[in-house]
Amino acid sequence: SAPRTLHTYIFAPLPIRIDNVMKRFSLDHQQAADLIQQRDYEFDTYLRRYYGSDGHQASLYHLLINTSLFPCELAAQMIQQALPVVKEIR
């Protein structure tokens, strides 16, 4: 990993992601699931092409946040609190 970089992985279980996409974009369950599947495929392909990994290995990250447990505002605060530690990351 690059020095002075905080690698963060923010995620949520699929049912929660589907529910969020349904609400945000006024989609039905299948449309939301399809949209998430397509987005995940595109993102994983991008990561594999440019970084040689799909990014799903926890060991690649300093901080993992499950937004089904921690709301986005709290997740942002956690990242903000972790940033000063970045100077020490090698």
Side-chain angles (χ1 to χ4, degrees):
S1 71
R4 302 186 76 175
T5 302
L6 179 65
H7 297 272
T8 305
Y9 186 74
I10 299 171
F11 64 97
L14 184 58
I16 291 174
R17 294 174 66 201
I18 290 172
D19 188 53
N20 288 340
V21 169
M22 287 173 60
K23 290 175 185 170
R24 183 169 185 192
F25 298 106
S26 300
L27 300 174
D28 67 29
H29 188 275
Q30 189 59 54
Q31 291 171 319
D34 290 346
L35 183 64
I36 290 169
Q37 182 180 17
Q38 179 64 32
R39 184 259 176 217
D40 286 353
Y41 171 80
E42 291 170 356
F43 190 64
D44 291 349
T45 300
Y46 170 85
L47 290 176
R48 277 192 299 276
R49 179 173 181 177
Y50 293 103
Y51 297 101
S53 169
D54 64 11
H56 294 286
Q57 298 83 6
S59 62
L60 296 174
Y61 303 95
H62 303 113
L63 181 63
L64 292 90
I65 302 172
N66 182 340
T67 57
S68 71
L69 301 173
F70 303 100
C72 290
E73 184 175 310
L74 182 54
Q77 291 172 3
M78 293 166 70
I79 293 167
Q80 187 176 22
Q81 290 176 350
L83 286 173
V85 178
V86 154
K87 291 184 269 184
E88 306 303 321
I89 297 172
R90 300 276 182 243

